[in-house]
Amino acid sequence: MPVGLGLFGLVAMVSIIGSVVPAWAATLYGSWWFVALLGALVLNTGLCTIRQAIPAWTGPARLKALFLVHGSVVVIAVGCLGGTLAFQTTTVSVHPGDVFSVGAQVWTVKGIVVERYPDGSVSDWVTTVETPDGTQSIRVNHPAEVGDDKVLQSGYGRDYTVHLEFEGRSRDFALSQDTEFPLTDDGHVGLALSPPRDGLVAAAQDDPDQQRIVEVLLTSGGRILQSTMAFEGLPLLLGDTGLAITVQASVQRSSLLIRHTPGLWLVWTGLALMAFSITALMLLPRTRKETPHA
Amino acid sequence: MPDFAFLLARQETLFYLIHLFALLAAVGAYSFSQGLWIGRGLVGAAFLALGLSVSIRTWEAGRIPLANMYEFGLLLGLLLTILIVVVDFRLRLRPLALAVTAGTFVLAAVQLLFYQEARALMPALKSWWLTSHVLTAVIAYGLLAVSFVLALVGLFWRTAPERLESFVNRLVTVAFPFLTLLLITGAVWAEYAWGSFWRWDPKETWALVTWFVYLAHLHLVRTRGWKGRRVLWMTVVGFLVVIFTFYGVNLLLSGLHSYA
């Protein structure tokens, strides 16, 4: 046990350093020696569990619960190890009608809906997909699952098709919401588009029968220099710049995170075991047979 | 400083201010031996006032108040006023009730700095796991807060009775499972929300450090027979880690828990 507590202390110290110095976090938490430290902690817990197994076999219920608590840590750790070694993550940006792969299956995006509260702020956003197993909805906190694959709603936005005119020259390009398009050669001034930041105006924009409103932002170094409202299909002259911008079309976009994590069932099993055994420890009475070991 | 004119104009915050002043008055009453029952009555009034504040906020927001630091403090305050009564009637020592009441008042006053109006939940927080995760945190932190106050009293009270240390250890023993469930519910929710059980987010990291500290506390007391001042010091240090986990991480470190 002294070794275990010492290892806990070391892991705690390294964890604290990584949390207060973000620049070091990736290096620390991903380093081989930190993983080895965690492995040593799990090994120590495993040995402690084996030591508890014999007295727990014949002892009172509380000893069995203690054995399960320690054992659950090992189960969780083995599940995490499997997941860490073999996980795969992909992020896809999709629009209605797009298809994408989830494992061996091909899914089709049927629709993307933004749900709002009465004040216009976003309540939820839902991506409806057609899969070989039927229609599924993906929303934040409610991923879709198939086998070891999980598809999570990680973000949403709009993608715009833009026509720009300046001093007789024109250019057409695609621009995603809140990304900057450089207007000057040195990139000092940029153009960004987004749905109106005013929630109620944005809510009106979600209705396909309403004229689509776009907030046009002139930016510099991340700061907003100028904000103007534009309507899709109608050209907008940007103040004294001489720039004319027309947002020709926009389409709802959904960002989905596809995560393949084998061995997840082990982590779930370990967590359930831990919750059960901790609760048992709370409820079971202590007996004289629970002699503390040195 | 909070805008007191604004707070007084709203029913929800008016009852919160009544709760605060009732606690302060209770501290004053507990300071005198003749004021014991007055103190108990004022603690009861503080609980009722806070209960009304929580009820009004629940009705206005259309949900249980769980979504930010201020709302967490509301539920924590409710639990702490109950624990004042538990300490008072279990330990039967007026100075201890005084200490826990004073600690509850300090916390309630600090929490007022984080006041924000009730808002609808953002998509990331719309989950059943919010309720279970936050409630386990409220229970764990509430029990540990009382253990902290009593441990401090034990360190400075040379003739403190043995049952004080025993009660402190009991509080930590009861809090630890909730601390464990806090980590479990957080990890499970992270899996559903972000696709990963653990990301070494500062809040997650410090919650784990907190768990380590109290794990060491339990093992050293139960299996190594630790007792006396070093156990009380460990209890104090443990709660200082809790304070950093709750306030320090939210205010000083950026991460995925920023909405807290």
Side-chain angles (χ1 to χ4, degrees), chain A residues 1-2 5 8-9 11-12 15-16 19-20 29 34 38 41 62 70 73 115 117 121-125 140-143 145 150 152-153 257 259 261 264 267-268 271 274-275 278-279 282 286 292-294, chain B residues 120-127 129 170 173-174 176-178 180-181 184 187-197 199-202 205-206 208-209 211-212 215-216 219-220 222-224 244 253-254:
Chain A
M1 196 196 66
L5 290 180
F8 273 126
V11 170
S15 306
I16 287 169
S19 72
V20 297
Y29 299 141
F34 185 67
L38 292 173
L41 188 56
R62 271 184 67 93
H70 288 83
V73 172
E115 297 174 355
Y117 290 112
S121 58
V122 175
S123 151
D124 212 341
W125 57 90
V140 180
N141 289 311
H142 301 276
E145 296 182 57
K150 195 168 272 172
L152 300 101
Q153 185 75 64
L257 180 74
R259 196 170 167 93
T261 319
L264 205 59
V267 179
W268 282 112
L271 289 174
M274 182 177 271
I278 289 271
T279 307
M282 284 173 67
R286 287 175 68 85
H293 53 78
Chain B
L121 284 178
M122 62 175 72
L125 296 180
K126 292 177 72 174
S127 170
W129 292 107
R170 182 79 185 135
T173 305
V174 175
F176 187 75
F178 288 100
T180 308
L181 287 172
I184 292 173
V188 171
W189 188 11
E191 167 64 16
Y192 278 105
W194 303 323
S196 173
F197 282 105
R199 297 170 77 149
W200 293 106
D201 174 70
T205 302
W206 278 91
L208 184 66
V209 171
W211 190 77
F212 282 165
L215 182 74
H219 278 77
L220 289 168
R222 295 251 179 243
T223 62
R224 291 286 179 177
F244 189 83
L253 306 175
S254 64

